[in-house]
Amino acid sequence: MKVLIAGGAGYIGSTVASACSDAGITPVVLDNLVTGRREFAQGRAFHEGDIADGPLIDRIFAEHPDIEAVVHCAALIVVPDSVADPVGYYRANVAKSLEFAGHLLRNGCTRMIFSSSASIYAAGADLTVDEDSPVDPQSPYARTKAVCEAMFADIASTQPLRVLSLRYFNPIGADPKLRTGLQLRRPSHALGKMIQAQEEGVPFRVTGTDYPTRDGSGIRDYVHVWDLAAAHVAALGAFDAVLPEAGSTTVNLGTGTGTTVRELLDAFNEVVDTPVPSVDAEARPGDTAGAYTRSDRAERLLGWRPRYSLTEGIRHSLEWADVREDVLGGPA
């Protein structure tokens, strides 16, 4: 099997590409390198460009007529940035995805796996969700994902493009073989900020301390990025069984365990030699209390369940931080 991975030079897309390669699936990478890294596409068929570029998409399918599915990971993903630049986020995540869908249909592509997000949910009182939970995104980034899901569902209801939306919870870790990881030296998520605090010898800022959680800090479902990648491989294998005819569906990808930010810091401090202290701070624009999955749909439909623990995700993140500049050739 050959699969086109849009955004395949980014953190998740490149890890999916490695998991595909390990499983005997040939990845073809498309990335505009706005946030992706060329190094992550090394040794793979790589096309630099935009998902909205029709002639480029046509050329990719002409060169690779045996592409059987598309994994659409191309998106901007930083919540506070989406609050500051909603126009840019809707243009990159929604408008270009619509153009991409048209290009895929023109080229006879019938299978898409879409990288969606659990941030679209309105969490219940217990902060758990399943695929039937109400959708109520609280940031422009999250709304772009909800809009794309609805848009793809409309397209899939009458067009031959079937769409499986995988709603990610919170990815951590790196490829255990350290081929890829977070490309940014200063990522914006909690674990990245902990690693930065450790490197700089400063306290970690717990942003938001009055959420309705057991300790007041936000709660997340931290899932190892290699487990996410393995879920894509499973989804490719199960695609026709899950969606045998026109339509779309959604699947949560999480561990089923909620971890607060303070608990994540405790786990981090059990792994590192020098514990990192914390200070309380205001919530960031667009942040929410969070949620974790209570669904087993991924196991039922895809035969997938996560393998890696929270501690292993932290260890792999730290190992990647040690080699990141060697792999990527310097700071970024």
Side-chain angles (χ1 to χ4, degrees):
M1 173 185 278
K2 185 177 286 186
V3 59
L4 173 63
I5 304 178
Y11 172 44
I12 293 174
S14 64
T15 311
V16 171
S18 292
C20 284
S21 293
D22 290 355
I25 300 169
T26 301
V28 177
V29 173
L30 167 64
D31 202 295
N32 61 13
L33 302 183
V34 169
T35 58
R37 294 293 298 246
R38 188 182 303 275
E39 295 90 339
F40 286 168
Q42 188 173 1
R44 296 175 179 142
F46 173 56
H47 299 266
E48 181 179 351
D50 201 276
I51 59 173
D53 184 342
L56 173 59
I57 305 303
D58 293 345
R59 187 165 72 250
I60 291 171
F61 277 89
E63 293 179 10
H64 305 276
D66 49 346
I67 288 174
E68 296 183 39
V70 169
V71 176
H72 178 12
C73 298
L76 301 177
I77 63 169
V78 180
V79 169
D81 288 355
S82 77
V83 175
D85 182 21
V87 172
Y89 266 66
Y90 276 96
R91 179 179 293 120
N93 293 2
V94 177
K96 290 186 178 183
S97 288
L98 177 59
E99 293 297 316
F100 189 40
H103 303 327
L104 296 179
L105 285 166
R106 185 176 62 253
N107 282 281
C109 179
T110 63
R111 302 177 185 90
M112 177 198 284
I113 295 174
F114 174 57
S115 298
S116 191
S117 170
S119 64
I120 70 173
Y121 285 119
D126 63 356
L127 299 177
T128 67
V129 295
D130 61 27
E131 289 85 353
D132 296 320
S133 294
V135 170
D136 185 21
Q138 297 296 305
S139 70
Y141 159 70
R143 276 187 285 277
T144 66
K145 290 297 186 179
V147 169
C148 278
E149 277 200 22
M151 177 177 74
F152 289 144
D154 285 342
I155 293 169
S157 68
T158 62
Q159 304 299 307
L161 180 64
R162 294 167 287 161
V163 182
L164 172 56
S165 293
L166 301 181
R167 293 174 175 170
Y168 305 166
F169 281 76
N170 295 78
I172 60 171
D175 175 358
K177 296 180 181 178
L178 299 182
R179 290 168 289 188
T180 58
L182 273 168
Q183 65 270 45
L184 301 176
R185 189 164 183 266
R186 294 289 182 254
S188 61
H189 64 58
L191 181 54
K193 290 294 185 183
M194 289 175 194
I195 295 173
Q196 180 180 348
Q198 182 207 32
E199 291 175 345
E200 297 178 355
V202 299
F204 167 74
R205 291 164 54 87
V206 179
T207 52
T209 58
D210 59 355
Y211 292 118
T213 62
R214 48 186 169 264
D215 61 22
S217 65
I219 197 165
R220 302 290 185 267
D221 189 333
Y222 294 102
V223 57
H224 198 291
V225 69
W226 190 257
D227 282 328
L228 284 182
H232 288 73
V233 173
L236 288 166
F239 196 100
D240 287 347
V242 174
L243 285 169
E245 53 190 32
S248 62
T249 195
T250 59
V251 175
N252 284 350
L253 295 183
T255 66
T257 300
T259 302
T260 70
V261 174
R262 296 191 195 278
E263 290 166 349
L264 180 66
L265 181 60
D266 289 342
F268 181 85
N269 283 335
E270 290 177 5
V271 173
V272 297
D273 294 331
T274 304
V276 174
S278 67
V279 295
D280 292 351
E282 294 295 316
R284 304 179 308 169
D287 275 351
T288 64
Y292 57 101
T293 187
R294 61 173 178 263
S295 170
D296 66 351
R297 187 180 292 183
E299 184 171 1
R300 286 188 289 109
L301 296 186
L302 309 181
W304 172 88
R305 65 169 62 186
R307 291 178 46 210
Y308 288 100
S309 68
L310 178 67
T311 299
E312 288 171 313
I314 293 169
R315 289 189 189 280
H316 289 149
S317 293
L318 289 165
E319 290 170 2
W320 169 256
D322 286 341
V323 304
R324 191 199 69 85
E325 291 190 13
D326 292 333
V327 174
L328 297 180

